[in-house]
C-alpha cells in the first residue's frame, strides 16, 4: 500500500492539500495537479474585492504552499481543461489512484456562473476520466468527490447512499451528472471508481467561506455573524480529518471499488450549535438572521453505516471537538 502512486487533481484546494499532507505522512507517493486559478492564489490575486478579508485568505493560501513545499509534495501547475497537458502529467506520474477534486466547489458561485462551472467541474472530470481509462496508464481506482447536495431536500432524517437524488441548482446537478459519467466509464471501459459524498466540511486552511469558517473569520475581524434562516436547520458538520481518513480507508480497501459512500461525521447538528461553541470562545458574538436561500436544500444526517461496514470508516471528530480545534488553530493563525 505504501509508495502507491496517487495523483490529486485539484489538489491545492482545501480538501486536496490536507489529503496530500496526510498521504505523504503515511508514505504514499503523492503528486498534485492544480491550475491555482479557481478559489486559489492566482484567482485571489486578481479578485481581491471578492473576499471580505483578502489579506487573511492570501496568508492562509501561502501557508498551504509552505506546508506542501516543506513536505516535498510536487505541485504541477496546469489547467486540467487542457487534455494534452493532463496526458503528459499522467505519463510522467503514472498514477495508480487518481483523485478528482477540481471544480467550482461552491453552490452559490455555480448558480451565478454555470458556464465556467461546467468547464472547471465537468470538462476537467471528463479529461481526468478519459486519461484514466487509457490502459497504458493502468489506473486502479478513480476517486470522485461528489456532495451531499446530490440528494436535494432530504426526505428523511438520515439519508443512505441508495436513497433518491433530486438535486437543486447547477452545482448539485453537475455533481450527480459527474457520478453518472463515472459509472458510464466503468460500464464501457471497466475503470474502477469510488464516489464520495461529503457534507458541510470545516477545518484548517479553508478559504471557501462556508458557515464554519465565515463565523470564526467574522468574529476575529469584529463583524457580525449572518445566519440565513432561523439557525435551526441541521447539517452533518464534518471535520476535514474525518473526511481525509475516510478517503484513505477507500484507498486501502478493495471493497470500496465501484461503490458510492457518504463520508461525514454521521450526525447532523443545528447551525445554532456552532454559535453555542463560538460563544465559549468569544462571549460577545453579534448575530443577525436573514432569509434563507431557496436553492440551498434542507439537509440533515448522512448515514455512514455503509462506509463503516465495507471500508472500516469511523468518524472521530464530533462538532464540539473538531470545531474547537479549528477555532484554536484560527485564533493562533490570526494572531500570528
Ligand atoms: N469543501 C466542502 O465542503 C465540499 C463538500 C462536498 C464536496 N466537495 C467537493 O470536493 C472537491 C474539492 O473541494 P475543496 O473544498 O477542496 O475545493 P477548493 O475550491 O478549495 O479546491 C478546488 C481546486 O480545484 C482547482 N481547479 C479548479 N479548476 C481547475 C482546472 N481547470 N484545472 C486545474 N485545477 C483546477 C482549483 O484551483 C482549486 O485549488 C470539489 O469537487 C468540491 O465540489 C467539497
Amino acid at each position: 500500500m505504501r509508495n502507491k502512486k496517487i495523483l490529486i487533481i485539484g489538489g491545492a484546494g482545501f480538501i486536496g492539500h490536507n489529503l496530500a499532507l496526510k498521504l505523504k505522512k503515511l508514505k504514499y507517493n503523492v503528486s498534485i495537479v492544480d491550475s491555482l486559478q479557481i478559489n486559489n492564489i492566482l484567482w485571489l490575486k486578481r479578485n481581491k474585492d471578492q473576499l471580505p478579508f483578502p489579506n487573511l485568505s492570501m496568508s492562509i493560501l501561502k501557508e498551504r504552499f509552505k506546508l506542501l513545499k516543506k513536505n516535498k509534495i510536487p505541485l504541477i501547475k496546469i489547467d486540467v481543461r487542457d487534455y494534452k497537458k493532463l496526458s503528459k502529467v499522467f505519463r510522467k506520474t503514472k498514477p495508480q489512484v487518481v483523485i478528482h477534486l477540481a471544480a467550482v466547489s461552491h453552490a452559490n458561485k455555480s448558480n451565478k456562473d454555470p458556464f465556467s462551472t461546467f468547464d472547471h467541474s465537468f470538462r476537467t472530470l471528463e479529461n481526468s476520466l478519459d486519461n484514466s481509462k487509457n490502459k497504458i496508464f493502468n489506473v486502479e481506482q478513480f476517486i470522485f468527490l461528489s456532495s451531499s447536495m446530490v440528494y436535494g431536500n432530504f426526505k428523511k432524517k438520515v439519508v443512505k447512499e441508495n436513497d433518491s437524488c433530486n438535486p437543486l441548482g447547477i452545482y448539485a446537478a453537475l455533481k450527480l451528472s459527474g457520478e453518472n459519467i463515472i459509472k458510464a466509464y466503468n460500464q464501457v471501459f471497466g475503470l474502477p471508481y469510488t464516489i464520495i459524498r461529503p457534507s458541510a466540511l470545516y477545518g484548517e486552511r479553508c478559504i471557501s467561506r462556508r458557515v464554519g469558517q465565515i463565523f470564526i473569520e467574522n468574529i476575529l475581524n469584529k463583524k457580525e455573524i449572518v445566519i440565513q434562516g432561523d439557525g435551526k436547520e441541521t447539517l452533518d458538520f464534518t471535520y476535514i480529518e474525518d473526511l481525509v481518513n475516510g478517503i484513505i480507508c477507500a484507498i486501502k480497501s478493495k471493497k470500496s471499488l465501484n461503490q458510492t459512500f457518504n463520508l461525514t461525521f454521521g450526525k447532523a447538528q443545528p447551525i445554532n450549535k456552532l454559535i453555542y461553541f463560538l460563544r465559549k470562545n468569544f462571549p460577545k458574538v453579534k448575530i443577525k438572521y436573514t432569509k434563507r436561500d431557496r436553492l440551498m436544500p434542507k439537509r440533515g444526517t448522512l448515514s455512514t453505516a455503509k462506509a463503516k461496514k465495507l471500508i472500516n470508516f469511523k468518524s472521530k471528530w464530533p462538532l464540539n471537538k473538531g470545531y474547537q480545534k479549528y477555532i484554536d488553530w484560527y485564533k493562533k493563525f490570526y494572531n500570528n
Side-chain angles (χ1 to χ4, degrees):
M1 203 56 78
R2 286 169 174 217
N3 295 324
K4 202 168 213 181
K5 289 184 197 148
I6 302 190
L7 183 64
I8 311 182
I9 296 176
F14 165 55
I15 297 176
H17 86 281
N18 276 300
L19 176 62
L21 291 170
K22 185 67 187 275
L23 286 169
K24 181 76 186 193
K25 203 168 164 196
L26 297 174
K27 309 263 183 267
Y28 286 89
N29 183 343
V30 56
S31 307
I32 285 177
V33 176
D34 204 298
S35 66
L36 311 181
Q37 298 211 46
I38 301 291
N39 197 26
N40 214 313
I41 202 155
L42 298 182
W43 166 80
L44 185 56
K45 275 186 182 161
R46 286 192 301 266
N47 295 281
K48 287 205 164 171
D49 56 332
Q50 301 269 318
L51 288 180
F53 315 111
N55 294 339
L56 177 58
S57 301
M58 190 57 93
S59 309
I60 291 176
L61 289 172
K62 284 183 180 162
E63 178 72 9
R64 281 187 199 169
F65 297 115
K66 211 166 96 186
L67 286 170
L68 291 175
K69 201 169 168 198
K70 189 172 152 204
N71 286 279
K72 300 191 174 64
I73 297 170
L75 166 59
I76 305 157
K77 212 182 89 195
I78 59 154
D79 190 327
V80 176
R81 290 175 300 174
D82 187 325
Y83 188 94
K84 284 191 181 150
K85 281 191 183 156
L86 186 62
S87 302
K88 240 181 173 174
V89 174
F90 270 69
R91 274 198 293 278
K92 195 174 154 205
T93 55
K94 300 185 178 58
Q96 292 158 285
V97 179
V98 173
I99 306 177
H100 187 93
L101 306 178
V104 171
S105 63
H106 209 283
N108 289 341
K109 285 187 190 166
S110 304
N111 285 334
K112 282 184 189 139
D113 190 355
F115 182 85
S116 142
T117 301
F118 185 92
D119 227 19
H120 290 284
S121 306
F122 218 71
R123 180 75 264 152
T124 58
L125 174 62
E126 175 70 16
N127 286 353
S128 295
L129 278 170
D130 212 70
N131 275 294
S132 299
K133 73 129 173 42
N134 193 334
K135 294 285 179 230
I136 59 164
F137 296 133
N138 243 338
V139 172
E140 295 163 13
Q141 185 178 23
F142 187 94
I143 299 180
F144 175 61
L145 268 275
S146 178
S147 169
S148 61
M149 301 274 277
V150 293
Y151 295 110
N153 287 316
F154 285 19
K155 302 226 165 64
K156 306 168 173 173
K157 273 201 163 157
V158 181
V159 292
K160 291 191 180 155
E161 290 83 348
N162 55 5
D163 281 325
S164 61
C165 289
N166 299 293
L168 264 176
I170 306 292
Y171 176 81
L174 281 175
K175 283 294 182 200
L176 189 59
S177 311
E179 292 191 8
N180 285 332
I181 197 76
I182 286 163
K183 288 179 186 164
Y185 265 80
N186 173 261
Q187 291 158 356
V188 179
F189 305 105
L191 178 67
Y193 70 85
T194 304
I195 292 167
I196 287 171
R197 295 176 179 160
S199 187
L201 288 170
Y202 63 90
E204 288 82 346
R205 296 173 300 279
C206 184
I207 64 148
S208 306
R209 301 272 304 159
R210 295 191 182 86
V211 277
Q213 179 210 351
I214 297 180
F215 291 179
I216 305 175
E217 215 169 79
N218 281 20
I219 293 173
L220 290 171
N221 289 285
K222 305 197 175 14
K223 296 261 184 293
E224 67 181 359
I225 285 178
V226 181
I227 297 183
Q228 296 186 348
D230 59 7
K232 290 183 187 147
E233 213 168 305
T234 61
L235 283 171
D236 197 341
F237 291 105
T238 306
Y239 183 49
I240 183 69
E241 208 169 303
D242 273 337
L243 174 70
V244 163
N245 287 337
I247 297 174
I248 291 168
C249 290
I251 295 172
K252 280 183 176 167
S253 170
K254 281 217 155 80
K255 289 188 182 156
S256 70
L257 295 185
N258 307 328
Q259 297 291 342
T260 300
F261 295 102
N262 294 331
L263 279 186
T264 61
F265 178 70
K267 184 174 184 286
Q269 303 258 29
I271 294 171
N272 282 335
K273 202 66 183 261
L274 294 180
I275 306 296
Y276 170 81
F277 294 125
L278 281 167
R279 283 215 162 105
K280 292 187 170 189
N281 295 268
F282 312 97
K284 289 182 189 156
V285 179
K286 278 193 209 145
I287 300 164
K288 188 174 133 190
Y289 291 90
T290 59
K291 220 173 123 193
R292 79 181 294 284
D293 178 355
R294 69 176 178 87
L295 287 172
M296 201 45 83
K298 291 190 175 155
R299 288 175 283 169
T301 299
L302 282 81
S303 164
T304 54
K306 181 178 171 186
K308 266 183 205 140
K309 191 171 162 215
L310 283 189
I311 59 173
N312 206 18
F313 165 70
K314 255 196 207 125
S315 60
K316 295 194 176 124
W317 291 93
L319 193 56
N320 60 338
K321 255 174 76 190
Y323 202 49
Q324 188 58 51
K325 189 163 178 260
Y326 182 35
I327 294 171
D328 290 342
W329 171 83
Y330 220 128
K331 279 203 285 195
K332 201 170 158 204
F333 186 82
Y334 187 81
N335 292 328
N336 282 341

